[in-house]
Amino acid sequence: MYQLYINPPKSSWSLRPWILLKILDIPFEPKIVRYLANINEQRQQFSTFSATAKIPVLYDNELQIWDSLAIFEYIAEDHPQVWPKDKKARAWARSVCAEMHSGFEYLRNICDFRPLEKITLTEIPQQLEDELKRLNTIFAQGLQQF
Ligand SMILES: N[C@@H](CCC(=O)N[C@@H](CS)C(=O)NCC(=O)O)C(=O)O
């Protein structure tokens, strides 16, 4: 069975493969890890199971996959329902995932992932506004096309 190292309430990166496995009903063992106040200690601890000392990390027996998008692709090899069947829809889905994976810097930094807290912004910089618009476009396009 897969093992997935995650910190669910604190890490949006962790939630991505967790949601995927849950939605597709793929059995896995969650390995819950916690952030430490001392980042050096945390990295030392995380490096015992993660090549980058970051999470999420998936294990398939002794094989380690240490990046969320790589985890999706690895799971897709045995579970083709991860990506849409239709080639065009698949290309769109992959583009959106890659865009989210490597972009949205302002959203990520300004709207830090803290689902249990309310964050009040005193201003919305133009770059954040642009990223939010882009996000809305992606959702609208996806819903309309597929
Ligand atoms: N590109 C990586 C990013 C992983 C990442 O940044 N994880 C954060 C969790 S939110 C982390 O472990 N940070 C700890 C650190 O930076 O030392 C992925 O997609 O898995």
Side-chain angles (χ1 to χ4, degrees):
M1 197 195 307
Y2 297 133
Q3 290 184 321
L4 184 66
Y5 284 77
I6 46 173
N7 184 358
K10 297 266 171 78
S11 157
S12 66
W13 293 106
S14 290
L15 277 177
R16 299 163 196 212
W18 183 86
I19 289 170
L20 179 79
L21 291 165
K22 283 280 183 194
I23 284 180
L24 297 184
D25 214 10
I26 298 169
F28 70 101
E29 182 192 349
K31 304 282 272 184
I32 309 295
V33 295
R34 300 280 173 222
Y35 293 144
L36 302 181
N38 181 321
I39 187 75
N40 292 327
E41 267 178 41
Q42 176 186 302
R43 291 203 170 131
Q44 208 170 0
Q45 194 179 310
F46 282 20
S47 65
T48 60
F49 57 82
S50 165
T52 55
K54 292 183 179 182
I55 49 172
V57 175
L58 183 84
Y59 274 84
D60 188 6
N61 294 312
E62 70 287 346
L63 177 66
Q64 180 190 135
I65 303 106
W66 61 86
D67 180 275
S68 54
L69 203 46
I71 293 172
F72 270 58
E73 293 294 357
Y74 183 76
I75 293 170
E77 297 207 33
D78 287 329
H79 303 274
Q81 68 273 39
V82 166
W83 296 112
K85 267 202 188 106
D86 175 72
K87 190 177 171 183
K88 284 184 184 159
R90 199 161 61 245
W92 189 89
R94 280 203 162 110
S95 298
V96 166
C97 285
E99 183 182 348
M100 175 49 73
H101 199 64
S102 60
F104 294 94
E105 182 192 339
Y106 287 88
L107 181 61
R108 212 186 298 290
N109 290 332
I110 297 171
C111 304
D112 199 10
F113 183 71
R114 279 179 259 156
L116 306 178
E117 290 170 48
K118 184 175 172 202
I119 299 175
T120 307
L121 297 180
T122 50
E123 56 157 353
I124 299 185
Q126 188 58 48
Q127 297 96 328
L128 177 59
E129 185 95 45
D130 292 345
E131 288 184 1
L132 292 173
K133 275 196 196 129
R134 175 67 194 139
L135 209 51
N136 280 329
T137 303
I138 290 173
F139 276 113
Q141 226 179 45
L143 288 169
Q144 192 192 348
Q145 288 183 41
F146 310 108

